[in-house]
Amino acid sequence: MFEVDLSGVPETMLWPLWNRACEMRRADRLIEDPMAAELVARIDYNFAGHFGRYSVFHAIRARHSDDLIRDYLAADREHPTVVALGEGLDTQFWRLGDDRLRWFSVDLPEAIAVRRRLLPAHPHATLIEASALDPSWMENVPGRTPPFITASGLLMYFHEAEVVALLRRIAETFPGAEMFFDAIPPFFSRKTMSGFNVTKSYRAPAMPWGITIDEIPDFIREIPGLEILSVQSYADPFPKRTRLYRALSLIPGLRRHFAGSLVHLRCAGHGPDG
């Protein structure tokens, strides 16, 4: 068994891992992620005690992100590249299984250390020890093809000014790139800022940035060089798995108040290819 010594934001990498592993037990599972189940079995950590009952939302986010990257790969780029910001213990590189793909995982040193010990090395996968807010990671990404950049479960841990600065730098540095991120609504941000206990054993870290799903378009329009390709709530991609949440999200007032966002962007310009 592998013992982990994580706290604060780095410890949150175990939360989606747990839910992806639980998703694998379902016959109607949204993702094929046997590595997640294997990792949960190998890690000495009280997953159920800390994170409680299984939630489908991490699996929805993973599947939605997978599908967006598959669409990116279908464009038959010569040097397809993904940059995964704050990746934690996601196993997306192996779920996608595309031999053409170059993968750059950017995370804090303590998170990369766990990833290095638990996940296999691969000649197409590069680990970068840096905060997503540190512009130095951009220097390590080759510019031959506009990349696909993911920031799953990350931006809510930053302040709004930091989110804006990061998105500006991405738009300036990677013309033609695509990006996926998710966002939490303000009410949930406020809840974490005042102390949100997921269970008796686990308190979620503060998540300073929250935004309503209706505010996303205006927020993105204020950042030069970005255009929205889609904005969905967590209920939209797979409504059969979120029947109650889906029904509530159809009520405009409740959607504005409660819905988390799944956002797909493109940076203006075409960039080099090939």
Side-chain angles (χ1 to χ4, degrees):
M1 296 289 284
F2 178 82
E3 293 186 5
V4 293
D5 183 18
L6 297 168
S7 61
V9 175
E11 187 177 7
T12 64
M13 73 168 71
L14 301 173
W15 198 353
L17 175 66
W18 165 244
N19 281 319
R20 295 199 320 274
C22 290
E23 178 72 9
M24 283 296 294
R25 303 171 188 169
R26 298 182 59 101
D28 62 345
R29 55 185 173 266
L30 298 175
I31 54 173
E32 291 295 331
D33 198 345
M35 291 181 75
E38 178 190 346
L39 287 170
V40 165
R42 289 170 57 198
I43 296 172
D44 185 10
Y45 186 85
N46 184 4
F47 286 91
H50 280 76
F51 304 128
R53 295 178 58 186
Y54 158 75
S55 168
V56 70
F57 295 110
H58 285 138
I60 289 174
R61 184 177 72 194
R63 170 64 182 277
H64 186 63
S65 178
D66 288 356
D67 287 348
L68 292 176
I69 296 175
R70 289 189 179 102
D71 289 344
Y72 164 84
L73 292 169
D76 199 28
R77 294 171 172 86
E78 188 174 349
H79 302 286
T81 301
V82 170
V83 181
L85 303 178
E87 189 175 23
L89 281 172
D90 205 328
T91 53
Q92 190 172 37
F93 174 75
W94 290 275
R95 290 200 305 271
L96 293 167
D98 191 307
D99 292 338
R100 301 171 298 153
L101 190 56
R102 287 293 310 276
W103 196 273
F104 294 84
S105 181
V106 180
D107 215 328
L108 297 173
E110 56 267 45
I112 291 293
V114 173
R115 189 173 179 87
R116 186 173 281 119
R117 291 185 64 183
L118 284 174
L119 291 173
H122 192 282
H124 288 182
T126 301
L127 303 177
I128 301 174
E129 297 183 12
S131 166
L133 300 177
D134 180 352
S136 66
W137 66 261
M138 299 180 184
E139 301 169 4
N140 292 279
V141 180
R144 292 176 294 182
T145 298
F148 193 107
I149 300 170
T150 70
S152 294
L154 176 65
L155 300 189
M156 62 281 297
Y157 295 108
F158 300 147
H159 293 274
E160 181 173 322
E162 294 172 319
V163 174
V164 170
L166 173 61
L167 294 180
R168 281 180 180 272
R169 284 195 294 268
I170 287 172
E172 293 167 358
T173 307
F174 301 108
E178 294 181 46
M179 184 175 183
F180 166 75
F181 71 84
D182 59 318
I184 60 172
F187 96 90
F188 191 69
S189 171
R190 292 191 296 268
K191 194 172 184 178
T192 68
M193 297 300 285
S194 62
F196 171 51
N197 291 317
V198 179
T199 63
K200 293 181 179 179
S201 301
Y202 182 70
R203 173 171 287 198
M207 303 179 193
W209 187 55
I211 185 169
T212 70
I213 193 168
D214 290 348
E215 292 171 331
I216 290 286
D218 286 340
F219 175 78
I220 295 300
R221 274 192 287 268
E222 291 298 313
I223 302 174
L226 291 181
E227 61 175 315
I228 291 178
L229 298 178
S230 67
V231 180
Q232 299 185 62
S233 81
Y234 271 78
D236 294 333
F238 305 101
K240 291 182 179 179
R241 291 292 305 276
T242 56
R243 293 183 187 277
L244 177 59
Y245 190 73
R246 170 67 172 166
L248 293 175
S249 74
L250 293 175
I251 303 172
L254 293 178
R255 183 181 176 88
R256 282 193 298 272
H257 186 70
F258 290 109
S261 308
L262 302 168
V263 184
H264 183 202
L265 307 174
R266 180 165 50 216
C267 302
H270 301 289
D273 192 349

